[in-house]
């Protein structure tokens, strides 16, 4: 940006200014993502899905809604609503595998599979059985 | 003062609406992000945030994107502290003059890496604490200059192999002990300083909420396990963090008004320090026979530090 010669001592030139939302937002801390007016410059509208080599698959049959996966996912990709884990945000999941590691159920309610395996129903149908300790 | 958000348990916490967004460019499994989420979700207040140059800043503001849903500023490597202190001072002045555009009081939070906190931004942070700004400073302590490829900082612990303290036939890596930032910040007579770890989320939320409720400068040292520079599998960020807190390498405690020290987490089973070290590639060479003395030294220093913390807690000094 061009320097403004008329700047006073307490003015400054703006480097870059990005707006997270298209409209004025008042209570963003209590507005769920589906109700937010995200702007195109919010990274929420971008995707890192192509980073993944492995992907987590969720089998809700065994899930106890403990929310360990929600709190420890670094990428805000575990979708929980009304205290229930309801799915994975595949645009923002980077496939780190933390959610699988912290899932306490037996068998796990989340498992990592190759990204190219598309038929998730088949993966869930062939889910491993409970492990005897 | 604004209301403290009620977070009874993890289920209740999971109803939070994240104000930090995905498709940022932090590595898969990066703990910086887990820490930021826990801090932002600990309050419903408006937030004025700043980051010093480092992984968190570089990866969350790649033009034309921002990953922040609140006001957020980046200026330089050394000065997220003063940028936020300036915003806080302005807010106070405008409030006094009645020229604020909103009647809501935001919280002011500055983030910096250990390089930016322990080394290069140190005098700026010290100044902010001396002047007593009502702000929280959070150090994302991954014990290395991660964003520039892994140079040692004064937070790098003994025996760690970094690109500027490489382990090899003539060296076991970093020779010096990690700087004790918590004591240094407490010595500023800060009303509240605490060490936190994201794997102990409940302890962390409690401290962050205490920090937000405290008037004056608050220092938070957050352990941030770095999959890239500590060299462990991205899926193991929480497991490595658990080893850090359970081996007491990262003890969790707080210091109120410079002297009242409280230990906030006592592991039921203390694990040997070598289990923590062995989980990371940066300490791999310590398991060679010629470096056995460094492993012993590590355990000795960790025990001594824990002993000192317990004595300080009891003596209230
Ligand atoms: C004054 C200045 N010196 C050096 C740099 C280069 N630099 C950018 S990020 C960085 C490392 C940051 O390390 P740290 O603060 O520990 O944060 P991390 O990336 O580890 O989270 C360095 C040295 C800079 N941007 N400005
Ligand atoms: S794999 Fe990683 S990024 Fe994806 S949902 Fe699980 S924890 Fe989140
Ligand atoms: S960690 Fe496992 S059991 Fe807990 S909510 Fe997530 S999927 Fe369900
Ligand atoms: S290098 Fe480390 S701190 Fe930086 S983004 Fe990667 S995991 Fe996070
Ligand atoms: Mg660092």
């Amino acid at each position: 940006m061009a320097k403004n010669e008329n700047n006073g001592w307490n003015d400054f030139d703006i480097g870059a200014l990005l707006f997270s939302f298209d409209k004025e937002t008042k209570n963003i801390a209590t507005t769920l993502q589906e109700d937010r007016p995200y702007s195109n410059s919010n990274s929420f509208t971008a995707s890192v899905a192509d980073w993944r080599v492995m992907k987590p698959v969720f089998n809700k049959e065994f899930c106890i809604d403990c929310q360990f996966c929600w709190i420890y996912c670094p990428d805000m990709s575990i979708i929980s609503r009304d205290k229930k884990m309801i799915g994975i945000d595949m645009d923002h999941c980077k496939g780190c595998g933390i959610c699988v590691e912290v899932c306490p159920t037996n068998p796990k309610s989340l498992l990592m599979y190759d990204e190219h395996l598309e038929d998730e129903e088949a993966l869930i149908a062939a889910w491993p059985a409970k492990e005897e300790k | 003062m604004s209301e403290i958000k009620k977070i009874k348990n993890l289920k209740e916490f999971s109803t939070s609406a994240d104000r930090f967004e995905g498709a940022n460019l932090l590595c898969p499994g990066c703990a910086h992000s887990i820490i930021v989420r826990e801090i932002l979700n600990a309050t419903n207040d408006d937030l004025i945030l700043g980051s010093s140059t480092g992984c968190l800043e570089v990866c969350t503001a790649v033009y034309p994107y921002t990953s922040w849903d609140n006001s957020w500023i980046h200026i330089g490597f050394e000065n997220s502290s003063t940028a936020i202190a300036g915003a806080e001072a302005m807010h106070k002045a405008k409030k006094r003059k009645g020229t604020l555009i909103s009647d809501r009081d935001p919280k002011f939070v500055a983030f910096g890496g250990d390089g930016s906190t322990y080394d290069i931004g140190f005098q700026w942070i010290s100044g902010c604490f001396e002047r007593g700004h009502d702000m929280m400073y959070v150090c994302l302590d991954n014990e290395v200059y991660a964003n520039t490829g892994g140079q040692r900082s004064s937070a790098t612990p003994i025996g760690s192999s970094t690109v500027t303290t490489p382990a090899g036939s003539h060296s076991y890596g970093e020779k010096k002990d990690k700087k004790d930032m918590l004591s240094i910040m407490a010595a500023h007579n800060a009303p509240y300083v605490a060490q936190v770890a994201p794997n102990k989320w409940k302890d962390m939320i409690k401290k962050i909420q205490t920090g937000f409720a405290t008037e004056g400068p608050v220092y938070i040292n957050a352990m941030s396990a770095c999959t890239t520079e500590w060299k462990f599998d991205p899926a193991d960020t929480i497991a490595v963090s658990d080893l850090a807190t359970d081996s007491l390498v990262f003890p969790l405690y707080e210091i109120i008004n410079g002297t009242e020290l409280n230990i906030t987490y006592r592991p039921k089973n203390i694990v040997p320090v070598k289990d923590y070290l062995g989980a990371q590639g940066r300490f791999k060479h310590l398991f060679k026979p010629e470096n056995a003395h460094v492993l012993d030294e590590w355990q000795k220093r960790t025990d001594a530090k824990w002993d000192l913390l317990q004595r300080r807690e009891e003596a209230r000094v």
Side-chain angles (χ1 to χ4, degrees):
Chain A
M1 205 164 282
K3 188 170 156 46
N4 182 349
E5 297 300 331
N6 300 320
N7 274 0
W9 67 270
N10 59 352
D11 296 320
F12 67 96
D13 287 311
I14 290 170
L17 192 57
L18 294 173
F19 291 96
S20 312
F21 303 104
D22 280 336
K23 285 199 284 247
E24 194 182 323
T25 49
K26 270 257 177 296
N27 294 302
I28 210 66
T30 49
T31 308
L32 291 169
Q33 291 173 322
E34 48 272 33
D35 301 321
R36 293 177 175 175
Y38 284 115
S39 79
N40 285 337
S41 48
N42 194 308
S43 71
F44 180 81
T45 61
S47 173
V48 285
D50 59 358
W51 287 27
R52 280 194 307 271
V53 182
M54 304 281 282
K55 65 175 174 187
V57 174
F58 176 48
N59 184 345
K60 70 169 180 298
E61 190 187 333
F62 303 103
C63 174
I64 54 170
D65 293 309
C66 67
Q67 304 299 340
F68 286 167
C69 55
W70 175 82
I71 181 109
Y72 295 130
C73 170
D75 287 289
M76 291 62 71
S77 296
I78 297 291
I79 308 170
S80 292
R81 292 291 179 269
D82 302 321
K83 306 184 182 177
K84 298 240 174 317
M85 148 62 163
I86 58 170
I88 304 165
D89 172 350
M90 295 312 278
D91 286 334
H92 299 130
C93 167
K94 293 171 184 161
C96 65
I98 288 178
C99 54
V100 172
E101 288 303 313
V102 299
C103 181
T105 60
N106 182 8
K108 285 188 183 284
S109 310
L110 287 156
L111 285 173
M112 297 304 280
Y113 288 95
D114 274 350
E115 176 68 20
H116 71 267
L117 295 173
E118 272 171 22
D119 189 352
E120 290 202 2
E121 272 171 41
L123 296 176
I124 287 172
W127 206 259
K130 183 173 170 159
E131 225 174 278
E132 300 301 334
K133 296 260 154 96
Chain B
M1 202 200 313
S2 48
E3 238 175 80
I4 295 178
K5 180 171 167 179
K6 278 201 201 65
I7 305 169
K8 269 204 319 280
N9 50 39
L10 195 45
K11 281 191 194 217
E12 186 169 26
F13 197 29
S14 76
T15 61
S16 305
D18 277 296
R19 285 183 280 177
F20 182 61
E21 298 292 355
N24 58 61
L25 304 186
L26 293 159
C27 300
C30 176
H32 280 5
S33 181
I34 307 175
I35 294 164
V36 170
R37 283 190 67 207
E38 291 184 19
I39 293 175
L40 269 53
N41 283 332
T43 179
N44 283 337
D45 283 340
D46 295 337
L47 294 163
I48 308 281
L49 308 171
S51 306
S52 298
T53 315
C55 282
L56 180 70
E57 172 271 323
V58 166
C59 299
T60 61
V62 184
Y63 195 80
Y65 292 116
T66 172
S67 301
W68 301 89
D69 295 340
N70 286 98
S71 304
W72 176 90
I73 187 170
H74 164 247
I75 300 178
F77 191 20
E78 57 285 346
N79 58 8
S80 65
S81 58
T82 43
I84 288 303
E88 185 269 345
M90 181 188 72
H91 181 81
K92 223 191 238 159
K94 281 183 168 271
K95 194 169 176 172
R96 197 175 57 237
K97 294 177 186 166
T99 55
L100 280 175
I101 51 169
S102 158
D103 57 1
R104 307 207 304 200
D105 283 324
K107 300 279 185 249
F108 296 88
V109 186
F111 292 99
D114 51 291
S116 150
T117 305
Y118 285 62
D119 299 341
I120 299 181
F122 179 69
Q123 65 165 308
W124 284 262
I125 301 166
S126 180
C128 290
F129 276 62
E130 187 233 318
R131 290 190 299 275
H133 291 280
D134 190 12
M135 62 181 279
M136 179 182 286
Y137 185 92
V138 181
C139 173
L140 301 162
D141 187 2
N142 58 11
E143 306 190 317
V144 70
Y145 289 76
N147 191 241
T148 37
Q151 298 78 15
R152 60 86 61 190
S153 78
S154 57
T156 303
I158 185 170
S160 181
S161 182
T162 73
V163 297
T164 46
T165 57
S169 52
H170 286 72
S171 172
Y172 57 76
E174 174 65 51
K175 297 277 185 304
K176 294 181 208 75
D177 217 357
K178 181 178 174 122
K179 199 193 255 182
D180 182 359
M181 258 316 264
L182 232 53
S183 292
I184 294 169
M185 296 321 292
H188 285 70
N189 267 334
Y192 191 71
V193 309
Q195 179 143 283
V196 301
N199 52 312
K200 297 290 168 210
W201 69 270
K202 214 167 188 176
D203 177 78
M204 172 150 170
I205 298 301
K206 198 164 163 222
K207 286 170 178 162
I208 298 301
Q209 293 193 327
T210 304
F212 281 145
T214 300
E215 221 175 294
V218 167
Y219 178 79
I220 301 290
N221 206 67
M223 177 193 67
S224 188
C226 169
T227 145
T228 304
E229 297 301 340
W230 295 15
K231 302 188 171 59
F232 59 82
D233 189 287
D236 291 335
T237 302
I238 297 302
V240 168
S241 304
D242 282 342
L243 286 170
T245 48
D246 288 358
S247 63
L248 298 170
V249 169
F250 272 90
L252 301 180
Y253 60 104
E254 61 187 12
I255 307 172
I256 301 165
N257 295 327
T259 53
E260 297 163 43
L261 189 149
N262 301 312
I263 294 171
T264 59
Y265 173 65
R266 287 167 211 278
K268 272 193 215 80
N269 301 306
I270 298 175
V271 304
V273 170
K274 68 174 176 13
D275 291 3
Y276 165 69
L277 303 175
Q280 305 164 62
R282 63 176 171 155
F283 297 118
K284 194 173 68 198
H285 54 282
L286 297 185
F287 292 83
K288 290 184 184 156
E290 65 268 29
N291 289 330
H293 66 287
V294 189
L295 287 181
D296 293 343
E297 189 59 33
W298 247 108
Q299 188 66 56
K300 232 190 280 164
R301 288 186 191 185
T302 306
D303 292 346
K305 173 85 198 234
W306 182 238
D307 188 53
L308 175 68
L309 289 177
Q310 298 192 90
R311 282 191 282 131
R312 281 193 62 186
E313 181 181 49
E314 208 180 309
R316 315 309 284 159
V317 290

